[in-house]
Amino acid sequence: MPGIARIPPVRADGLQLDENRGFQFGFWRLQRWSWLGFGLLVALAGLGLTGSGGPLSRQHIRIGDVEAVLPRIVRLDAVERAIFTIPARPDGPGLRSLAFDDTLRRAFAIEEISPPPQRREDGPARTTLHFDLQPAPAGGPGLEVVLTLRPVEAGWHEVQIGDAHRRRRIGIHVLP
Amino acid sequence: LETVLRAATIYLILLAVMRLSGRRTLVRATPFDFVLLLIVAETTQQAMVGDDGSITNALILIVTLFGMDVALSYAKRASARVKLWLDGTPTVLISQNRLDVDALNRSRVDVEDILSAGRIQCGVNRLDQIENAVLEVGGAISVTRRDGTSPGNGGAAGPAPD
């Protein structure tokens, strides 16, 4: 084997070893750059670009009068929450719906819907959740719907979310 | 397959991070390094095992990790280049009683570390009694005593001339 046959030379100082100082200098430089990379990764994590919290890990969108706070970058198997705030209706009770397409069902396991919907329709391409909204004065507290999601498929997913009338396509990146 | 991929990926990531963090990182057995080692072990265990705590999963993980270790050891023996990248090269810190300050700084080794190694390995009391000191590829420091020195004699060791 070449590993056995290679015998290090004897140096002027009497040490018999193979010191490759040229390689070592290059590697020390590489080390310093990699430490910068470690720092950069920590900074990106602090910003939320590696998921699990941080200002950039979530996205705020509006679908009609519904405000939604959704994950933008998540980690595989790490539980996340999608929060939809439906405003109060002064004109009396009404049925409001939230709908999402098959991509969300495929990429995420929906572990909990809080409060539970009045009715749920699971179609081949989309799921619609119907919520009964109680009357409340204008500007009063609306209904906050929380979907607890667990990502089950890594990669970039374009999910269509909306209500009975409007839909929006949003991107969610699931990190492995 | 997922178990094998997880184990292989974590092994390679750990190898790269350990190598890039510098060989002294986990050799100094300070309490801080011990805590670091424990945390790294716990973190990687979770990433490798995932939700599967079965014996089958553990068996595949162990066999994969040992298999990679054996494969890399053969790769190192077959190629000097691979060995150089994976293990690095020894760094001479003191040669003929002259300190290489640049090497000390770049490899983050203190003179105290050399003196400690000297005391343990060959009973030297002072720097001027050390002929050579080498930061080995494993992270340990090996020291050889100057001929004819004993505690109480010898000159002062100083930085190597440029």
Side-chain angles (χ1 to χ4, degrees):
Chain A
M1 293 294 289
I4 297 168
R6 208 170 40 248
I7 296 171
V10 179
R11 296 157 34 116
D13 55 10
L15 288 167
Q16 185 169 12
L17 56 81
D18 230 342
E19 187 193 24
N20 191 335
R21 195 45 84 93
F23 172 84
Q24 189 63 65
F25 270 111
F27 196 79
W28 276 327
R29 251 196 311 277
L30 177 68
Q31 264 186 349
R32 269 59 180 175
W33 281 108
S34 71
W35 296 346
L36 278 179
F38 291 177
L40 188 66
L41 190 64
V42 172
L44 292 178
L47 287 172
L49 291 174
T50 58
S52 194
L56 300 179
S57 71
R58 304 183 75 75
Q59 50 190 326
H60 296 254
I61 63 163
R62 183 174 270 280
I63 309 158
D65 59 350
V66 177
E67 279 183 34
V69 182
L70 303 164
R72 178 185 282 130
I73 300 163
V74 294
R75 297 174 189 171
L76 195 66
D77 280 335
V79 172
E80 287 284 341
R81 297 197 317 164
I83 302 165
F84 299 88
T85 308
I86 305 169
R89 287 186 146 191
D91 53 342
L95 210 60
R96 292 294 302 266
S97 64
L98 284 176
F100 45 86
D101 67 355
D102 191 43
T103 311
L104 190 116
R105 284 189 312 198
R106 201 185 62 245
F108 297 87
I110 301 169
E111 301 209 318
E112 192 188 354
I113 301 168
S114 174
Q118 197 84 3
R119 204 170 80 240
R120 176 175 174 157
E121 290 170 28
D122 282 310
R126 57 186 295 182
T127 294
T128 309
L129 309 173
H130 298 282
F131 297 93
D132 194 7
L133 210 62
Q134 295 303 309
L143 179 69
E144 191 176 87
V145 178
V146 179
L147 266 62
T148 305
L149 307 168
R150 189 166 55 83
V152 291
E153 193 181 297
W156 173 258
H157 302 289
E158 286 209 349
V159 181
Q160 217 175 50
I161 292 180
D163 57 14
H165 313 290
R166 291 162 288 261
R167 282 174 215 166
R168 275 197 66 174
R169 189 169 282 280
I170 58 150
I172 302 176
H173 195 202
V174 179
L175 297 172
Chain B
L1 175 70
E2 195 191 325
T3 306
V4 174
L5 288 176
R6 272 175 182 261
T9 308
I10 296 294
Y11 182 92
L12 292 175
I13 289 173
L14 258 184
L15 190 71
V17 171
M18 291 282 184
R19 188 81 180 88
L20 288 170
S21 66
R23 72 183 84 146
R24 292 294 290 159
T25 305
L26 293 177
V27 168
R28 284 179 187 156
T30 62
F32 176 79
D33 294 316
F34 187 63
V35 169
L36 182 70
L37 190 64
L38 284 179
I39 293 171
V40 168
E42 182 64 26
T43 311
T44 50
Q45 179 260 336
Q46 193 65 38
M48 278 195 289
V49 174
D51 294 332
D52 188 350
S54 66
I55 292 175
T56 309
N57 193 37
L59 175 72
I60 294 168
L61 268 175
I62 292 166
V63 169
T64 305
L65 292 173
F66 274 95
M68 289 196 70
D69 195 53
V70 171
L72 282 183
S73 70
Y74 271 103
K76 282 192 289 188
R77 287 172 72 84
S79 163
R81 198 92 203 134
V82 172
K83 184 175 167 54
L84 195 60
W85 275 99
L86 290 178
D87 284 347
T89 172
T91 306
V92 178
L93 304 171
I94 297 179
S95 174
Q96 293 176 314
N97 194 234
R98 285 183 181 169
L99 274 175
D100 186 337
V101 177
D102 191 34
L104 281 169
N105 287 335
R106 286 175 187 260
S107 53
R108 294 176 294 150
V109 174
D110 299 325
V111 172
E112 285 85 354
D113 297 327
I114 299 175
L115 284 167
S116 166
R119 282 193 296 273
I120 293 165
Q121 290 171 29
C122 45
V124 297
N125 290 331
R126 301 186 313 273
L127 207 54
D128 57 83
Q129 294 170 317
I130 295 174
E131 176 68 9
N132 296 310
V134 180
L135 177 60
E136 302 291 352
V137 291
I141 297 169
S142 63
V143 172
T144 54
R145 177 193 269 274
R146 284 183 84 182
D147 288 338
T149 60
S150 60
N153 67 3
D162 293 332

